Amino acid sequence: MLRVTLATRLALIVIVALSAISIIIIAVFYRTSVRETESARPSPGRLAAIAEMVERSDPAMRRTFLAAVSSPQFVVRVEAAGAPAVLPPRIVRPQQARLDDIYSAALPGRDVTVWPTTAATHDRWFPRLARAMSNAVEFRIGLRTGETLVVDATTRLPVTSFGLPVGLGVGLFGTVVALLALLVMQRETRPLAQLAAAVDRVDLSTDPPPLPEARRSAPEIRAVIAAFNRLQTRLSEMMRARMTLIGGIAHDVRTFATRLRLRVEKIQDAAERQRAVADIDDMIRLLDDALLSSRVGAGQLSQEMVDFAALVRTEADDRRTQGGRVELSADDATRDVIVLGDRLALRRIVANIIDNAIKYGRVACLRLQLNNHMIVLTVDDEGPGIPADRRQAMLEPFNRLETSRNRATGGAGLGLAVVRSLVEAHDGTIALMAAPGGGTRVHIELPVFRPGA
């Protein structure tokens, strides 16, 4: 199989495109610089009219008439009767015979001969080439007066044997070649576009669909596609193995932590027992985050139809019951709105941002809205807010606004990262911004379930 590399193909495409452009420019030059009336051969009717006028003209005025109808490319003269003609040997080809018939039919009663000639040319550097390009033809027409009307016709146009300008055929050829070049370019770049689209939609939580092999493309493109398929397969397997490992470890350690908590309850010192219980609760919460993250990474979240507004109201009521300041306002359009997702994960999203608002901003002001098939939940607090340059970092794992790592002033820095993972696993978005009152606003958008969409 012929291996034409991508670089070679692109070079050929460029060369062909430049050739087509050059040919088009040449064709335009001919089109704009040559008069349309200037053709390779005069029409039979024109020669018949000239012959008739010469026969009827006064001999004294004939010279003036011949000068009037002549031009550098169309020289008309009259040879006296009986004058010897000095002509090269004439080889009658089928095309030549056809021209004789055409002009003889237009000049009945006259002896007509069409003679390809090596007429004199003004080009002294390339005379042979100039003669070939001039397409010189000599017409010898016998007049009724016994004289011979001689017409030397040449053209500045390089013409083919069919009388068509060479540029016309070349231009058409160039156009066809350019069209083929465009088709080839489109075919060569199609696998790259498919590769770019596949890279954008890579999802390592599921089995990645392989890109189809581009058998007719360049070897480099086939190699890139094969490498991409191998890469996304390895990444998916590695991600699944890591998440399974984390999930397994977190599950076992959580079991041990639960047993340890039961044993801690037997400590006699109440203060010491409370601190130990708080440490174990933090450890269990951290393991829960790890378990939830592993489920998200492994694509193991369940899906069910969840009344999101009702879920938010439930979480808000729970916080009020525990003494938290929670305010909730919801538009009527959000009533009975369904979100397709994991109920436990959605509860974790709402609970986490409400708890954060109460803990760091004293109050959680919740607002539910519907915006273009997206349900929007915003939670504002009255805290000091988050600097603009730290907001995006707060959504990354193990990032805390307070850097002392004191557990009493903040968690492990996984809460918002887990929330972000859960929101994105439901095809939603989350953003931190400044609240109108100066605190922090958490803005979450989740797609609304639409049957048949």
Side-chain angles (χ1 to χ4, degrees):
M1 181 178 177
L2 180 61
R3 290 175 59 87
V4 182
T5 64
L6 178 61
T8 305
R9 295 183 186 212
L10 293 178
L12 289 175
I13 291 172
V14 172
I15 291 173
V16 169
L18 291 177
S19 301
I21 293 173
S22 301
I23 291 169
I24 292 174
I25 292 175
I26 293 173
V28 172
F29 168 76
Y30 280 130
R31 178 70 177 171
T32 56
S33 63
V34 180
R35 294 171 298 174
E36 294 181 358
T37 55
E38 184 178 289
S39 58
R41 305 182 188 94
S43 65
R46 184 183 183 187
L47 290 185
I50 293 174
E52 189 73 22
M53 291 298 295
V54 169
E55 289 174 346
R56 295 183 181 181
S57 63
D58 188 332
M61 297 295 296
R62 181 175 292 176
R63 182 183 298 275
T64 303
F65 172 75
L66 294 178
V69 298
S70 296
S71 69
Q73 285 75 41
F74 189 78
V75 179
V76 183
R77 69 181 188 276
V78 176
E79 292 183 351
V86 181
L87 296 170
R90 183 171 186 259
I91 301 175
V92 180
R93 295 186 174 86
Q95 181 185 1
Q96 202 68 43
R98 188 170 65 254
L99 287 176
D100 289 345
D101 295 340
I102 293 173
Y103 283 95
S104 297
L107 296 162
R110 298 182 177 87
D111 184 18
V112 179
T113 305
V114 181
W115 209 291
T117 180
T118 54
T121 175
H122 298 291
D123 194 325
R124 62 189 181 89
W125 298 105
F126 303 99
R128 187 182 298 276
L129 177 61
R131 285 196 293 271
M133 297 287 284
S134 65
N135 197 35
V137 178
E138 182 176 281
F139 296 88
R140 302 186 69 84
I141 304 170
L143 300 177
R144 296 188 180 92
T145 58
E147 298 166 306
T148 301
L149 176 66
V150 180
V151 177
D152 291 319
T154 61
T155 178
R156 291 182 298 178
L157 275 175
V159 295
T160 65
S161 57
F162 300 101
L164 297 175
V166 174
L168 178 62
V170 174
L172 291 176
F173 174 76
T175 302
V176 172
V177 170
L179 179 60
L180 293 177
L182 290 175
L183 293 177
V184 171
M185 182 182 298
Q186 194 273 339
R187 198 195 69 172
E188 291 297 326
T189 56
R190 188 189 306 142
L192 295 178
Q194 294 174 345
L195 177 62
V199 171
D200 288 338
R201 63 171 180 268
V202 163
D203 183 7
L204 299 180
S205 63
T206 60
D207 291 331
L211 275 180
E213 183 181 359
R215 296 181 178 178
R216 296 183 179 180
S217 297
E220 292 90 341
I221 293 179
R222 295 202 300 271
V224 169
I225 292 176
F228 171 77
N229 286 334
R230 293 193 299 271
L231 175 65
Q232 69 171 356
T233 300
R234 285 200 300 269
L235 288 177
S236 179
E237 293 174 352
M238 183 180 68
M239 179 67 73
R240 197 172 305 168
R242 294 286 177 86
M243 291 303 171
T244 302
L245 177 64
I246 294 174
I249 293 174
H251 180 270
D252 293 344
V253 174
R254 193 178 192 281
T255 302
F256 296 141
T258 303
R259 294 176 185 170
L260 181 60
R261 181 171 180 178
L262 295 177
R263 294 174 182 172
V264 164
E265 295 292 341
K266 299 178 182 177
I267 297 177
Q268 298 299 324
D269 188 338
E272 190 67 24
R273 183 175 63 248
Q274 188 63 32
R275 286 195 294 270
V277 169
D279 289 341
I280 293 174
D281 287 344
D282 288 341
M283 185 172 61
I284 292 176
R285 191 177 302 109
L286 187 62
L287 292 173
D288 288 342
D289 289 342
L291 276 173
L292 200 53
S293 297
S294 66
R295 289 178 60 198
V296 174
Q300 296 177 349
L301 292 180
S302 62
Q303 283 194 334
E304 60 179 305
M305 291 189 292
V306 179
D307 185 341
F308 190 72
L311 186 147
V312 172
R313 281 194 296 272
T314 301
E315 292 298 320
D317 292 340
D318 288 346
R319 284 358 180 238
R320 288 195 198 97
T321 304
Q322 298 169 8
R325 289 180 55 196
V326 180
E327 300 174 3
L328 172 62
S329 63
D331 294 351
D332 292 339
T334 62
R335 190 180 300 277
D336 299 328
V337 167
I338 299 299
V339 172
L340 188 63
D342 186 288
R343 180 180 296 275
L344 180 61
L346 293 174
R347 286 190 60 185
R348 181 58 184 275
I349 293 171
V350 177
N352 188 282
I353 58 176
I354 294 177
D355 290 341
N356 282 346
I358 296 174
K359 185 175 183 179
Y360 302 108
R362 299 180 296 278
V363 61
C365 300
L366 281 66
R367 176 70 189 274
L368 269 175
Q369 297 172 288
L370 195 62
N371 182 21
N372 292 332
H373 309 299
M374 302 289 286
I375 189 166
V376 181
L377 171 63
T378 58
V379 180
D380 298 343
D381 61 36
E382 297 178 355
I386 301 175
D389 58 342
R390 296 293 309 278
R391 290 171 188 159
Q392 189 62 32
M394 296 304 297
L395 297 174
E396 301 297 332
F398 303 107
N399 268 293
R400 294 175 42 177
L401 192 61
E402 197 276 320
T403 58
S404 67
R405 312 308 298 174
N406 187 342
R407 303 282 297 178
T409 58
L414 276 178
L416 283 177
V418 173
V419 169
R420 176 188 179 182
S421 300
L422 295 176
V423 170
E424 292 179 348
H426 288 80
D427 297 327
T429 60
I430 180 173
L432 303 180
M433 53 190 70
T440 300
R441 166 172 287 184
V442 182
H443 182 98
I444 293 177
E445 293 189 6
L446 292 170
V448 174
F449 172 68
R450 292 180 296 161

